[in-house]
Amino acid sequence: MNGLQRFEHRLEQLISGVFARAFRSAVQPVEIAAALQRECDNNAQILSRDRRLVPNDFHVELSDVDLERLRDYDSALQKDLADQLQDHAEQQGYVFPGPVSIALEAADDLTTGRFRIRSRALAQVTDNDQRTRARAASAFLEVNGTRHPLRPPGLVVGRGTEADLRINDPGVSRRHVEFTVEGETVHVVDLGSTNGMAVDGAKTTRARLRDGSTVKIGHTEMTVRLERGGDV
């Protein structure tokens, strides 16, 4: 019995005969599981001989009818989909940059029985900055749905444990960039990283940042937010 067969068997056990009746003419959960596997296969990026990076954040878009039919089994289905995807990743030597997240969403342009998947590699972010946080910050970094204060003198971002803000992205060096805060000015400086950085889409080694500026390192994009607007 292969992974998809085991997955379908678990679901049948979970919701018994209701499963077959509810989904006879709609999207089958096993179809979603197979599509998630293909999404990983089609977007795998080589890290080394035995390791490939794949997306870990998935949005499954369905018609309103299909979504409503799946709603009663939502949490159990998402857990089983994630478990099945983890099994597939282990078999293929895939690496997720962070926890696997699968969301089911409605799409107005889809008819019953049709669905699509959007995915992205979303690196896990860990804040290692142990300095005092008594002083209120007026600048922040938004990274993969998390928000981190930028206070003087700044912080180092990288993949290593010594970085103030750690990003589990294989394209990020151990100490990749440093954000510096001096008075009302914020700069970002490349620390001699392997893959460099891009600020607002342009490759550079140093830049002054404004509200909404984006800094991309590896596969991860960070956005600068200034509470007072303009330059910090």
Side-chain angles (χ1 to χ4, degrees), residues 205-223:
T205 58
R206 180 182 176 88
R208 183 173 179 174
L209 303 172
R210 300 176 180 275
D211 182 46
S213 288
T214 60
V215 179
K216 186 172 183 179
I217 58 177
H219 306 281
T220 301
E221 186 171 273
M222 301 173 284
T223 302

PDB file of all heavy atoms in Angstrom, residues 205-223:
ATOM      1  N   THR A 205      24.930  46.142  -2.038  1.00  0.00           N
ATOM      2  CA  THR A 205      25.609  45.702  -0.820  1.00  0.00           C
ATOM      3  C   THR A 205      25.301  46.621   0.361  1.00  0.00           C
ATOM      4  O   THR A 205      25.598  46.273   1.498  1.00  0.00           O
ATOM      5  CB  THR A 205      27.133  45.656  -1.025  1.00  0.00           C
ATOM      6  OG1 THR A 205      27.603  46.955  -1.429  1.00  0.00           O
ATOM      7  CG2 THR A 205      27.512  44.628  -2.091  1.00  0.00           C
ATOM      8  N   ARG A 206      24.706  47.766   0.091  1.00  0.00           N
ATOM      9  CA  ARG A 206      24.353  48.707   1.163  1.00  0.00           C
ATOM     10  C   ARG A 206      23.254  49.631   0.668  1.00  0.00           C
ATOM     11  O   ARG A 206      23.254  50.056  -0.494  1.00  0.00           O
ATOM     12  CB  ARG A 206      25.568  49.547   1.582  1.00  0.00           C
ATOM     13  CG  ARG A 206      25.274  50.547   2.699  1.00  0.00           C
ATOM     14  CD  ARG A 206      26.508  51.383   3.050  1.00  0.00           C
ATOM     15  NE  ARG A 206      26.200  52.384   4.052  1.00  0.00           N
ATOM     16  CZ  ARG A 206      26.254  52.188   5.371  1.00  0.00           C
ATOM     17  NH1 ARG A 206      26.637  51.005   5.822  1.00  0.00           N
ATOM     18  NH2 ARG A 206      25.947  53.144   6.226  1.00  0.00           N
ATOM     19  N   ALA A 207      22.284  49.944   1.540  1.00  0.00           N
ATOM     20  CA  ALA A 207      21.195  50.829   1.124  1.00  0.00           C
ATOM     21  C   ALA A 207      20.564  51.496   2.328  1.00  0.00           C
ATOM     22  O   ALA A 207      20.518  50.926   3.423  1.00  0.00           O
ATOM     23  CB  ALA A 207      20.142  50.057   0.346  1.00  0.00           C
ATOM     24  N   ARG A 208      20.086  52.717   2.116  1.00  0.00           N
ATOM     25  CA  ARG A 208      19.263  53.388   3.111  1.00  0.00           C
ATOM     26  C   ARG A 208      17.819  52.980   2.867  1.00  0.00           C
ATOM     27  O   ARG A 208      17.367  52.881   1.718  1.00  0.00           O
ATOM     28  CB  ARG A 208      19.402  54.910   2.992  1.00  0.00           C
ATOM     29  CG  ARG A 208      18.607  55.664   4.057  1.00  0.00           C
ATOM     30  CD  ARG A 208      18.903  57.149   4.023  1.00  0.00           C
ATOM     31  NE  ARG A 208      18.114  57.856   5.018  1.00  0.00           N
ATOM     32  CZ  ARG A 208      18.262  59.151   5.289  1.00  0.00           C
ATOM     33  NH1 ARG A 208      19.175  59.865   4.631  1.00  0.00           N
ATOM     34  NH2 ARG A 208      17.516  59.717   6.207  1.00  0.00           N
ATOM     35  N   LEU A 209      17.068  52.739   3.929  1.00  0.00           N
ATOM     36  CA  LEU A 209      15.735  52.156   3.811  1.00  0.00           C
ATOM     37  C   LEU A 209      14.646  53.152   4.166  1.00  0.00           C
ATOM     38  O   LEU A 209      14.828  54.011   5.028  1.00  0.00           O
ATOM     39  CB  LEU A 209      15.621  50.926   4.714  1.00  0.00           C
ATOM     40  CG  LEU A 209      16.671  49.834   4.450  1.00  0.00           C
ATOM     41  CD1 LEU A 209      16.590  48.759   5.519  1.00  0.00           C
ATOM     42  CD2 LEU A 209      16.489  49.236   3.071  1.00  0.00           C
ATOM     43  N   ARG A 210      13.525  52.997   3.508  1.00  0.00           N
ATOM     44  CA  ARG A 210      12.351  53.823   3.757  1.00  0.00           C
ATOM     45  C   ARG A 210      11.184  52.922   4.163  1.00  0.00           C
ATOM     46  O   ARG A 210      11.278  51.702   4.083  1.00  0.00           O
ATOM     47  CB  ARG A 210      11.972  54.612   2.494  1.00  0.00           C
ATOM     48  CG  ARG A 210      13.070  55.547   2.010  1.00  0.00           C
ATOM     49  CD  ARG A 210      12.664  56.215   0.697  1.00  0.00           C
ATOM     50  NE  ARG A 210      13.712  57.112   0.218  1.00  0.00           N
ATOM     51  CZ  ARG A 210      13.878  58.365   0.582  1.00  0.00           C
ATOM     52  NH1 ARG A 210      13.040  58.883   1.479  1.00  0.00           N
ATOM     53  NH2 ARG A 210      14.843  59.108   0.112  1.00  0.00           N
ATOM     54  N   ASP A 211      10.102  53.543   4.575  1.00  0.00           N
ATOM     55  CA  ASP A 211       8.917  52.772   4.924  1.00  0.00           C
ATOM     56  C   ASP A 211       8.446  51.988   3.697  1.00  0.00           C
ATOM     57  O   ASP A 211       8.249  52.550   2.623  1.00  0.00           O
ATOM     58  CB  ASP A 211       7.803  53.711   5.389  1.00  0.00           C
ATOM     59  CG  ASP A 211       6.568  52.952   5.813  1.00  0.00           C
ATOM     60  OD1 ASP A 211       6.705  51.962   6.553  1.00  0.00           O
ATOM     61  OD2 ASP A 211       5.458  53.336   5.396  1.00  0.00           O
ATOM     62  N   GLY A 212       8.295  50.662   3.852  1.00  0.00           N
ATOM     63  CA  GLY A 212       7.862  49.810   2.746  1.00  0.00           C
ATOM     64  C   GLY A 212       8.995  49.225   1.933  1.00  0.00           C
ATOM     65  O   GLY A 212       8.742  48.426   1.023  1.00  0.00           O
ATOM     66  N   SER A 213      10.247  49.604   2.220  1.00  0.00           N
ATOM     67  CA  SER A 213      11.384  49.021   1.498  1.00  0.00           C
ATOM     68  C   SER A 213      11.415  47.512   1.725  1.00  0.00           C
ATOM     69  O   SER A 213      11.135  47.026   2.823  1.00  0.00           O
ATOM     70  CB  SER A 213      12.705  49.624   1.998  1.00  0.00           C
ATOM     71  OG  SER A 213      12.857  50.955   1.579  1.00  0.00           O
ATOM     72  N   THR A 214      11.765  46.773   0.674  1.00  0.00           N
ATOM     73  CA  THR A 214      11.880  45.319   0.787  1.00  0.00           C
ATOM     74  C   THR A 214      13.337  44.909   0.646  1.00  0.00           C
ATOM     75  O   THR A 214      14.064  45.442  -0.190  1.00  0.00           O
ATOM     76  CB  THR A 214      11.050  44.605  -0.283  1.00  0.00           C
ATOM     77  OG1 THR A 214      11.501  44.996  -1.591  1.00  0.00           O
ATOM     78  CG2 THR A 214       9.579  44.923  -0.128  1.00  0.00           C
ATOM     79  N   VAL A 215      13.744  43.970   1.476  1.00  0.00           N
ATOM     80  CA  VAL A 215      15.097  43.421   1.430  1.00  0.00           C
ATOM     81  C   VAL A 215      14.962  41.918   1.248  1.00  0.00           C
ATOM     82  O   VAL A 215      14.373  41.234   2.098  1.00  0.00           O
ATOM     83  CB  VAL A 215      15.883  43.727   2.720  1.00  0.00           C
ATOM     84  CG1 VAL A 215      17.288  43.128   2.644  1.00  0.00           C
ATOM     85  CG2 VAL A 215      15.955  45.244   2.952  1.00  0.00           C
ATOM     86  N   LYS A 216      15.484  41.390   0.133  1.00  0.00           N
ATOM     87  CA  LYS A 216      15.373  39.954  -0.127  1.00  0.00           C
ATOM     88  C   LYS A 216      16.722  39.288   0.035  1.00  0.00           C
ATOM     89  O   LYS A 216      17.714  39.708  -0.551  1.00  0.00           O
ATOM     90  CB  LYS A 216      14.837  39.694  -1.534  1.00  0.00           C
ATOM     91  CG  LYS A 216      14.580  38.209  -1.794  1.00  0.00           C
ATOM     92  CD  LYS A 216      13.879  37.971  -3.113  1.00  0.00           C
ATOM     93  CE  LYS A 216      13.569  36.493  -3.300  1.00  0.00           C
ATOM     94  NZ  LYS A 216      12.850  36.211  -4.566  1.00  0.00           N
ATOM     95  N   ILE A 217      16.768  38.237   0.854  1.00  0.00           N
ATOM     96  CA  ILE A 217      17.957  37.419   1.036  1.00  0.00           C
ATOM     97  C   ILE A 217      17.540  35.959   0.881  1.00  0.00           C
ATOM     98  O   ILE A 217      16.535  35.539   1.446  1.00  0.00           O
ATOM     99  CB  ILE A 217      18.645  37.655   2.387  1.00  0.00           C
ATOM    100  CG1 ILE A 217      17.694  37.386   3.556  1.00  0.00           C
ATOM    101  CG2 ILE A 217      19.182  39.085   2.467  1.00  0.00           C
ATOM    102  CD1 ILE A 217      18.335  37.521   4.930  1.00  0.00           C
ATOM    103  N   GLY A 218      18.286  35.194   0.105  1.00  0.00           N
ATOM    104  CA  GLY A 218      17.879  33.828  -0.167  1.00  0.00           C
ATOM    105  C   GLY A 218      16.502  33.820  -0.812  1.00  0.00           C
ATOM    106  O   GLY A 218      16.240  34.546  -1.774  1.00  0.00           O
ATOM    107  N   HIS A 219      15.586  33.018  -0.252  1.00  0.00           N
ATOM    108  CA  HIS A 219      14.213  32.946  -0.753  1.00  0.00           C
ATOM    109  C   HIS A 219      13.270  33.801   0.083  1.00  0.00           C
ATOM    110  O   HIS A 219      12.052  33.749  -0.117  1.00  0.00           O
ATOM    111  CB  HIS A 219      13.729  31.494  -0.720  1.00  0.00           C
ATOM    112  CG  HIS A 219      14.618  30.543  -1.438  1.00  0.00           C
ATOM    113  ND1 HIS A 219      14.615  30.392  -2.810  1.00  0.00           N
ATOM    114  CD2 HIS A 219      15.574  29.683  -0.981  1.00  0.00           C
ATOM    115  CE1 HIS A 219      15.515  29.489  -3.163  1.00  0.00           C
ATOM    116  NE2 HIS A 219      16.111  29.050  -2.076  1.00  0.00           N
ATOM    117  N   THR A 220      13.820  34.585   1.002  1.00  0.00           N
ATOM    118  CA  THR A 220      13.000  35.302   1.986  1.00  0.00           C
ATOM    119  C   THR A 220      13.012  36.804   1.743  1.00  0.00           C
ATOM    120  O   THR A 220      14.074  37.404   1.556  1.00  0.00           O
ATOM    121  CB  THR A 220      13.509  35.007   3.407  1.00  0.00           C
ATOM    122  OG1 THR A 220      13.455  33.599   3.646  1.00  0.00           O
ATOM    123  CG2 THR A 220      12.670  35.726   4.443  1.00  0.00           C
ATOM    124  N   GLU A 221      11.816  37.395   1.774  1.00  0.00           N
ATOM    125  CA  GLU A 221      11.700  38.843   1.608  1.00  0.00           C
ATOM    126  C   GLU A 221      11.268  39.470   2.929  1.00  0.00           C
ATOM    127  O   GLU A 221      10.333  39.003   3.576  1.00  0.00           O
ATOM    128  CB  GLU A 221      10.683  39.176   0.516  1.00  0.00           C
ATOM    129  CG  GLU A 221      10.611  40.662   0.194  1.00  0.00           C
ATOM    130  CD  GLU A 221       9.768  40.949  -1.028  1.00  0.00           C
ATOM    131  OE1 GLU A 221      10.303  40.915  -2.153  1.00  0.00           O
ATOM    132  OE2 GLU A 221       8.553  41.190  -0.849  1.00  0.00           O
ATOM    133  N   MET A 222      11.965  40.531   3.320  1.00  0.00           N
ATOM    134  CA  MET A 222      11.656  41.272   4.538  1.00  0.00           C
ATOM    135  C   MET A 222      11.177  42.666   4.159  1.00  0.00           C
ATOM    136  O   MET A 222      11.718  43.273   3.235  1.00  0.00           O
ATOM    137  CB  MET A 222      12.904  41.378   5.430  1.00  0.00           C
ATOM    138  CG  MET A 222      13.480  40.036   5.839  1.00  0.00           C
ATOM    139  SD  MET A 222      15.080  40.182   6.713  1.00  0.00           S
ATOM    140  CE  MET A 222      16.172  40.525   5.321  1.00  0.00           C
ATOM    141  N   THR A 223      10.182  43.166   4.881  1.00  0.00           N
ATOM    142  CA  THR A 223       9.650  44.500   4.613  1.00  0.00           C
ATOM    143  C   THR A 223       9.873  45.397   5.815  1.00  0.00           C
ATOM    144  O   THR A 223       9.602  44.999   6.956  1.00  0.00           O
ATOM    145  CB  THR A 223       8.146  44.431   4.302  1.00  0.00           C
ATOM    146  OG1 THR A 223       7.928  43.564   3.175  1.00  0.00           O
ATOM    147  CG2 THR A 223       7.611  45.819   3.968  1.00  0.00           C
TER     148      THR A 223
END
